[in-house]
Amino acid sequence: MSKDINEMKDTFSTENTRVSVGLASCSIAAGAQKVYNAFETALEGIPAELDFSGCMGMCYNEPLVEVTSKDSPRFIYGKITPDRVDRIIKEHVQGGHPIKEWLVYAEGMKTADSDFIDKQQRIILKNCGVINPERIDSYLSVDGYKAIEKAIKTMTPEQVIEEIKDSGLRGRGGGGFPTGMKWSFARKAPGNVKYVVCNADEGDPGAFMDRSVLESNPHSIIEGMLIAGYATGAQEGFIYIRAEYPLALKRLNIAIKEANKKNYLGTNLFGSDFNFKLSIREGAGAFVCGEETALMMSVEGKRGMPKIRPPYPTESGLFTKPTFINNVETLANVAYIIYNGAGAFNKYGTETSKGTKVFALAGSINRGGLIEVPMGITINEIVYDIANGLSSGLPLKAVQTGGPSGGCIPASLSDTAVDYDSLKKIGAIMGSGGMLIMDESTCMVDVAKFFLNFTQEESCGKCTFCRIGTKQMLKILKRITNGEGKEGDIELLEDLAVKITTGSLCGLGQTAPNPVLTTIKYFREEYEAHINEKRCPALKCKALIEYEISEKCIGCGRCSKQCPVNAISGERKQQFSIDKSKCIRCGLCVTVCKLNAIDVVTGKRGV
Amino acid sequence: MYNRMPKVNLIIDGKQIVAEKGKILLEVARENGISIPSLCHDSRLKPFGSCRMCVVEIEGMRGAVQSCGIKVSEGMVVKTNTDMIIGLRRTALELLLTEHCGDCIAPCQVACPATIDIQGFIAHIANGQVLEAAKLIREKLPFPASIGRVCPRFCETACRRNLMEDPISICFLKRYAGDEDILNEENYESTVKPDTGKRVAVIGGGPAGLAAAYYLALNGHRVTIFDSAPELGGMMKYGIPEYRLPKAILNKEIEAITDLCENVFCNKALGKDFTIKQLKLMGFDSVFVGIGSWLDQSLRCPGENLKGVYSGIDFLGKVAMNKPVEIGKKVVVVGGGNTAMDATRTAIRMGADEVTIVYRRSRNEMPASSIEVDQAEEEGVKLQLLSNPVGFVESNGKVTAVKCVRMELGEPDSSGRRRPIPIEGSEFDIPVDSVITATGQKLDTASLVGNPELALDKWKNIAADPATLQTNIEWLFSGGDCVTGPATAVEASAAGRTAAISINQYLSGEAVVAEKKLFNCSRGTLEEMDPAEFEAREKISRTHMPTIGPAERKGNFKEFELGFTKEMAEKEASRCLSCGCMDCFDCRLREYATELGVNADHLGVGEKRFPITDNGPYIISDSNKCVLCGNCIRMCQEVQGVGILGFVNRGSNTVVMPGANSENLCKSCGQCVAICPTGALTFRSTQPKPGPFKVNKVDSVCPNCSIGCKLDLNMVGERVDSITSPICNDTVNQGDLCNKGSLTYNAVQSSNRLLKPMLNNNGKLEESSWTDAFNKCTSLLKGIDGLSIAISPTMTNEENIYASKLGQLAFGTSDIFSTVPVATNRFALDSQNNEKVTFNGMMNSDLIIAVGNDFSQKYPIAAHKFKSAAEKNAALLLISSNVTPLHTSAKASLKITDKKLISLFETFIGFVLENKLNDEKVSGKYPQLIEALAKKLPGDYYEAIQSFFVKPEKIVEFIRLYLKAENPIIVVDGDAVSPELLELITALAFITGKSGTSTKGVMTLYPKGNTQGQLDMGIQVDTRDYQSIVAKIKSGKIKGLLVFGTEEELAPELLQDGVKTILITPFLPKKQQFDIVLPSATFAETNGSYTNVEGRIQPLKAGFSPLGGKNNLQIISDLAKASGYSMDVPTEAQAYSEVISKLFNK
């Protein structure tokens, strides 16, 4: 058991003190750059090193600052603003006294937030938020490029593939196809020219696993691609990354340049005859370009639209040459497996799902951020132990995994293990790692509408079912949430959903109906309430709710002042009333009423 | 040689199939008669997979598999029509329709009970093709002239012009077409199918019976009509007065029907003279009953039998039969329907002074058409509305007044009209001399005596299946008023046609089922349309029907509506908005939606989202109908290599759009239109109103180059509406076509066509008759000694043979040459017995060298072939003086000026001989050839190689590649090279042993369709021959020239002063120096054959008759006669056999 932080000694050495500010996109958005700049000024003349790293994962505590010194554990301060910088320098950097009340993490200690990190198992994220992503030396200091060296010097390509097969690694992009098998297909594909492509077109709403890895540890992806190239015989690689990730792009470019300079990329690597050229292709942010055939079209400079299979990319892919595509997270595992052996990897996870998985936690939870957990962990453990429960205090209603292609898991199934097969069994998918936690105030029809709206807008427009089918489904969902649902709409949705799943050309369309199908499966009565009773049980759908002022009202007039459309009126000290024809159901009155005198009711209109 | 693909066995829908391995499943299924729908598949394009219609189930594969992308493999078990698959296809179509906006057929046709192709016939009228219009109407309605006078015009109510000003005068246009048809008796004939020997009795000669008789007779059945009246026509004759429908007009239309019948018996009444059962015993195989509703509904008030009280039908009938009827001066007509109006206006015409209509509701509720009520009022009738007769006042058994009560309107009744309620104590009298009651009719069930088993419905009408009109007695069919109750003539006629279709099925032993209703996508009713959409369109007021004024017309029974003139009709027809889709006869979306029974109400149909692009010269694009199959984009990119079109936007906002600068790049080849499965891309019609028309496809061959692309002339009557290409693997072009082919119709029906002979009068050409022209020919030809004949290479083999016969036999000349000289190869040796290079062979060759600068422009189809061959096995090498679009597909190219080409090939041959790389067999057989070549060559090829401004190693690499290839083909533009160069190239192929099969050798392309045929027919085609002819003309040896061709083809040096010229040409000449000009027929007006560059002899069929009145063989024969030589016009077979024997004797 780790000690409580209050039992920790007060003073540490100030020798070799290093201050490192987390500077990933999420941190910068929270103001980390300003904090870094403040440290830069304040540390002038002080014998301490200032550095930066990538994402430490605790997004809910950004900006984060790590302070270490000789013999001290890792201390991480959370929610640091520039005005806190002076005190940290004075007390901790110069005085050696950590400021306990600001610490969110102290290695080996129990803090308020230590569960968040301690419950995780970090392979991919191990060096994220630790090393400086813009310095190859920083990567080398944590055994960087040792795995490819080991592969080239001590293993045959076949042995590398065997090792990957043994590890049980499956594609982390969502499909879960065994990586070793994909590599062996690519190895067997005829021809001298082959390509390996890293799919960094992360597109699920709310998902940022790949961005974090690319921003925090870009060399690990380059090394993964090198190993993949060595194993399959591909001598050229492309990283397909969306242009909306400018920081990731910048750091990747720096990493490739440095790797080329140090001959980790290029010709005759590690003295062998293995050559590998790597370049970046920027995507324009079309979700469908995460689909591998569409991705390849985009890399070729064409409109990103999926192609029919066969032929499969491993036979005829990029520029009609055999091509295999791995997701960022998949590739981020590769160096670890090769360097540490399959056994070090497959000791984590379940029978069929080995290793760890990174998730981007979002929704009504206390601790949102990036986590890496062993496969097989339950949803409950994630929600309650790592995320520290629901922020609203309301009960858990559902968890959406796999983003818009995934499914909604009801609270009743929250002891489900998070692995490929368990999730599939209940209609959800692992997906690329988005995880949205919803409390009782969430309308499930509205959620289905939200996700379908996304896929509908992101459909490439090529095939009938995806292009028009999703649009028609969305039309039906819209009318249901607008209180215009008709008898038979649920069945129509189900019928269309099944046909879109069966009939669509690519994965986007084939999975687009999943959120609708799972919400109907687990929350059918909520759909029925919308359609038959014109009632939104979660009180979310504006067309189905009304606001009423109860006798608790003392006539203070706060609500009436706030109402943007002047729908509330009344005599002072008398019960006020709401003109329902004017009310736009913004909910402002409920927020400002101190007496809870405003009730939201549903099911009263038009039944 | 050809690669024989290994075979695989598979099962599709339980059928054992053997197919070539690697073939696309969808194509294998279709080749084996199993139809799999697809909107986006085309064998010429790479699999795409957008429409999702071609899904099938394959054993061992999950879910639905697209058959357009998967290749057949051994042991495959496929199911194409499981419930899951059909469900997916139906949903796919329903989804596509939610984004598809347009009307398949126009709302007028939807509204028409007879489903006449209204838009089509109106377009014919607008285009001046009134007889075509009548023909189209008669497909659905055999009485255009009669119904065109009396129809209540359901169509006009639905017309979209109602949203702008007034509807199109559809009914009067129909009358116009019918009237014109009657005037042109020769066009009145219908094509009757062979006699079936089956007999059908039609009881009742009204619109239902006559229509049934007509369509039955057309199907070859023997029809006998029975009618109770003295003449046929039914209500049209006895119910509708002469001033509205003259008997003479009706009789003409009836005659056209009875002419097709076996027998007609009038004055024979069912139930009195015979029974239905008797007819069956008399040997009729089937019976149609269309006896109408002739029994008057009683007024249900006392006194109806008084003298002076008539029923409307009785009254009108008597008048029609010229029987005496006493009505006096004061007449009351009871009722508000059309019969009441007819009775009223007939009474006025019979001299009544005061005619009053008594009707129990208000004017709004009157069932008669409002125009008729207006016209009756104009003629002086009084309306006594909201009044109802309750009795009659009599004197001596004769009526003297009608007792009426006033009414007020209460709540609507079941008919939706407000129920009239009598006002108590409001009775009043109207003094009268006579009363005519017209308050409805019903079926006289007494006539059905003897057939108790025939079922009646609850209104006591004959019960018949509404879709097939079959009664409960299998062989008995019935339609018209006797089934529906009193209705309109157009509905009765439609019922007659429906019954005829059913009876035909019954007589053919088929199941009696309703005619399959084609799926119809509709933009909605008038109320559902947004009038704003029509604001930009030009408002044109409706053409008024000229009429005789009320004062003049009320005194007689003459028809008072005079009919449209041609100008009026064409102007009125031109108002049509052409709502229906131009692709409705040829739309795969519609076809599949019909087949799968799609219900568009399920998810709805699309709304208009895009403006229609209508500003191009040849192509109209309506994105509202696009199903985003991507065919046009891929056709333009993958086959044509142009790539103008692309997808713009994403998801459901995706639209196909041309890219920047597309106007300049688009060649209007029309292949995007041809491949579009819906009406999103359509050809601009060559006619003012585009129809749509069902086209008649006529087989032809493109005259514009020697590749010999097969064409379909899409004929509408005598006009070419568009030109497409049949999609067939056996043709040279396999469905491909360039703009020269697709736009040829511009020339053949241009205003530039010469229609009459022209004679030179003092340096000016003037029109003349054929007789005068041939007389002039006679005198001119007799006086000339040295005559020469020039023939265009766009003339058929047959025409070439007969024209050269004319020259040899009639004029005794051997100077018979082509108007378009080219390079030919006289260096033939024994290659005669060898195969020619073919385009199919090209697909199996491994190297193509194209010598020329302009293949993509001059021979686009050949350029496409090079490209596909290059995508398969062949390396494409180019020799040209410039960079061409083909360069992107080429493996290597040499930039050599035209002048240096001879030197280049001499260098190639030099290289071969110097290095002894020539084929030993050839050199052994033809040592003198090698010697001769060697002598001609530059001494040192190495020196020559330096002179091309190209790296020498590139040239060496070129010849090495050629020598390395097993099946190389050199393609030469025979129009651009000299004969010397062509012979050198041929020699190169010959001495290296790389010629003589379909996959290796030299192919020479020519810029006109039948140059190869001219060569085969012995016409002098070579430029060297041409030069000698020119020399003869210049030296005065040739004094007369007979030219079959165009003015443009003739080089100026041929037209010397003092040389008499007869030009036989399809086009008006610009120059005036010809002595005689005769109008000839183009390829589109000619039966015959062309021979293409591969030696294929391909037939041409005439799409229309020669505009000048004579076909070219006729002109040749007449010219022979004019010169005193007798030469009969050969039959097609004779001419063709001459072509074949000429080939044998060559």
Side-chain angles (χ1 to χ4, degrees), chain B residues 49 68 121 139 150 214 441 488 490 666 875 894 1004 1034 1144:
Chain B
C68 73
F121 92 72
E139 284 181 16
V150 302
Y214 178 65
Q441 299 104 244
T488 59
V490 67
C666 176
L894 290 181
T1004 317
K1034 282 187 175 162
F1144 284 138

Side-chain angles (χ1 to χ4, degrees), chain A residues 189-305:
Chain A
N192 303 326
V193 182
K194 292 174 191 177
Y195 298 108
V196 48
V197 176
C198 168
N199 184 352
D201 190 66
E202 187 172 46
D204 285 5
F208 52 92
M209 301 73 62
D210 296 348
R211 187 192 69 204
S212 253
V213 173
L214 292 167
E215 285 177 356
S216 311
N217 194 0
H219 287 285
S220 65
I221 304 305
I222 297 174
E223 189 172 3
M225 291 184 76
L226 277 164
I227 296 168
Y230 175 73
T232 59
Q235 303 214 340
E236 189 167 357
F238 295 93
I239 299 178
Y240 183 80
I241 177 170
R242 46 181 48 215
E244 293 100 316
Y245 280 1
L247 189 62
L249 258 167
K250 177 188 159 198
R251 289 181 177 165
L252 258 179
N253 272 313
I254 293 172
I256 290 174
K257 207 167 149 193
E258 285 199 302
N260 271 314
K261 212 154 103 192
K262 297 223 166 193
N263 203 20
Y264 292 114
L265 281 173
T267 50
N268 302 109
L269 303 179
F270 297 98
S272 73
D273 56 1
F274 174 57
N275 309 323
F276 197 77
K277 187 182 153 197
L278 183 60
S279 31
I280 291 175
R281 288 285 183 274
E282 291 178 39
F287 180 65
V288 74
C289 289
E291 198 278 342
E292 56 183 14
T293 58
L295 184 152
M296 291 188 299
M297 293 278 275
S298 180
V299 170
E300 289 175 5
K302 298 174 186 152
R303 178 183 167 95
M305 284 201 305

Side-chain angles (χ1 to χ4, degrees), chain B residues 880-1113:
Chain B
S880 63
S881 63
N882 52 356
V883 176
T884 70
L886 268 178
H887 276 68
T888 50
S889 308
K891 187 177 175 190
S893 63
L894 290 181
K895 196 175 166 198
I896 304 283
T897 58
D898 294 351
K899 280 185 195 157
K900 284 265 181 191
L901 281 176
I902 290 208
S903 162
L904 177 74
F905 277 89
E906 284 174 350
T907 306
F908 283 162
I909 292 176
F911 180 91
V912 170
L913 295 180
E914 180 100 3
N915 295 303
K916 305 218 168 353
L917 296 167
N918 45 318
D919 188 26
E920 278 175 17
K921 265 183 267 164
V922 176
S923 41
K925 207 167 164 191
Y926 301 100
Q928 66 278 39
L929 166 71
I930 305 291
E931 212 169 287
L933 278 173
K935 239 184 247 167
K936 248 179 93 184
L937 294 179
D940 184 358
Y941 81 86
Y942 188 76
E943 223 165 74
I945 254 177
Q946 312 283 332
S947 69
F948 297 108
F949 304 106
V950 172
K951 279 185 191 160
E953 56 268 32
K954 260 188 98 176
I955 291 171
V956 173
E957 174 66 12
F958 237 71
I959 185 69
R960 284 225 165 99
L961 281 171
Y962 178 71
L963 293 167
K964 222 170 82 185
E966 273 182 39
N967 289 301
I969 293 174
I970 306 179
V971 187
V972 186
D973 177 2
D975 186 41
V977 302
S978 64
E980 293 75 21
L981 174 59
L982 179 62
E983 284 170 8
L984 261 185
I985 293 172
T986 315
L988 172 67
F990 188 69
I991 62 164
T992 52
K994 297 187 186 299
S995 67
T997 75
S998 66
T999 57
K1000 58 181 177 188
V1002 179
M1003 176 186 264
T1004 317
L1005 297 174
Y1006 299 119
K1008 296 288 174 190
N1010 201 28
T1011 299
Q1012 183 64 45
Q1014 288 198 312
L1015 255 172
D1016 294 347
M1017 296 306 114
I1019 312 296
Q1020 298 177 34
V1021 174
D1022 197 86
T1023 38
R1024 291 168 287 198
D1025 301 325
Y1026 191 76
Q1027 289 315 324
S1028 77
I1029 298 268
V1030 171
K1032 280 186 189 171
I1033 288 178
K1034 282 187 175 162
S1035 68
K1037 276 187 193 147
I1038 289 175
K1039 299 192 188 76
L1041 207 53
L1042 200 64
V1043 182
F1044 292 92
T1046 65
E1047 189 182 17
E1048 280 76 32
E1049 286 167 3
L1050 283 181
E1053 60 256 40
L1054 292 176
L1055 298 174
Q1056 299 284 337
D1057 285 342
V1059 177
K1060 295 284 179 192
T1061 319
I1062 301 177
L1063 177 65
I1064 301 121
T1065 178
F1067 303 109
L1068 275 168
K1070 291 195 189 82
K1071 295 191 192 104
Q1072 300 292 312
Q1073 72 252 56
F1074 304 103
D1075 296 279
I1076 301 169
V1077 182
L1078 303 176
S1080 69
T1082 65
F1083 82 103
E1085 299 143 80
T1086 303
N1087 291 319
S1089 65
Y1090 279 176
T1091 308
N1092 86 335
V1093 64
E1094 307 164 309
R1096 290 186 193 218
I1097 301 175
Q1098 309 194 98
L1100 283 81
K1101 292 272 166 234
F1104 52 101
S1105 24
L1107 296 185
K1110 287 177 189 285
N1111 69 40
N1112 298 342
L1113 289 177

Side-chain angles (χ1 to χ4, degrees), chain A residues 286 303 305 308-310 456-465 467-469 471-472 475 492 496 499 502-505, chain B residues 47-52 64 66 69 84 87-88 91-92 95-96 98-99 602-603 627-628 647-652 654:
Chain A
R303 178 183 167 95
M305 284 201 305
I308 54 176
R309 274 167 290 208
Q456 192 263 327
E457 281 184 2
E458 290 295 342
S459 165
C460 79
K462 181 173 175 178
C463 83
T464 305
F465 284 104
R467 178 180 76 244
I468 316 176
K471 187 177 171 184
Q472 288 298 317
K475 199 171 121 186
L492 187 54
L496 283 172
K499 282 173 174 153
T502 332
S504 287
L505 172 61
Chain B
F48 192 59
S50 64
C51 78
R52 321 307 295 162
Q66 52 212 341
M84 191 257 271
L88 277 174
T91 301
L95 288 171
L96 288 172
T98 65
E99 306 268 288
H602 191 211
L603 296 171
V627 293
L628 294 173
F647 289 117
V648 175
N649 299 333
R650 289 215 319 242
S652 60
T654 307

Side-chain angles (χ1 to χ4, degrees), chain B residues 69-89:
Chain B
I70 196 155
K71 291 171 179 170
V72 289
S73 59
E74 182 62 39
M76 211 178 223
V77 179
V78 184
K79 284 183 185 145
T80 72
N81 51 11
T82 62
D83 288 349
M84 191 257 271
I85 292 302
I86 300 295
L88 277 174
R89 288 179 187 161

